[in-house]
Amino acid sequence: MTIKVYRFAQHPINNDESLSGGYATMEFIVLNKLTAIPDSEMDVDPTHVDQEGRYLGLNSSRPK
């Protein structure tokens, strides 16, 4: 099973700068008023996404 994440282009004011230019679920992008980049959809393993919906990458330290 996979879930879809999308690249986003900006971060909201008063938020962590490290959020700029990452991948996240659409729910996270909408909730945080980010801008999704068209045609950036990617299927990922759910174990690589945190509870808020951010994609952690293939080197995630989160337990499986």
Side-chain angles (χ1 to χ4, degrees), residues 3-63:
I3 59 172
K4 295 188 184 309
V5 294
Y6 303 83
R7 189 158 176 79
F8 55 87
Q10 66 190 30
H11 57 86
I13 297 172
N14 299 326
N15 208 334
D16 187 349
E17 291 274 344
S18 67
L19 290 179
S20 181
Y23 277 86
T25 60
M26 190 54 71
E27 181 181 8
F28 178 86
I29 291 170
V30 171
L31 182 67
N32 289 283
K33 299 181 171 75
L34 301 167
T35 301
I37 297 175
D39 301 324
S40 66
E41 181 179 293
M42 181 169 67
D43 290 326
V44 301
D45 188 314
T47 62
H48 295 143
V49 177
D50 72 9
Q51 290 180 334
E52 293 182 13
R54 285 183 291 240
Y55 177 58
L56 302 171
L58 296 175
N59 296 321
S60 168
S61 61
R62 186 170 165 218

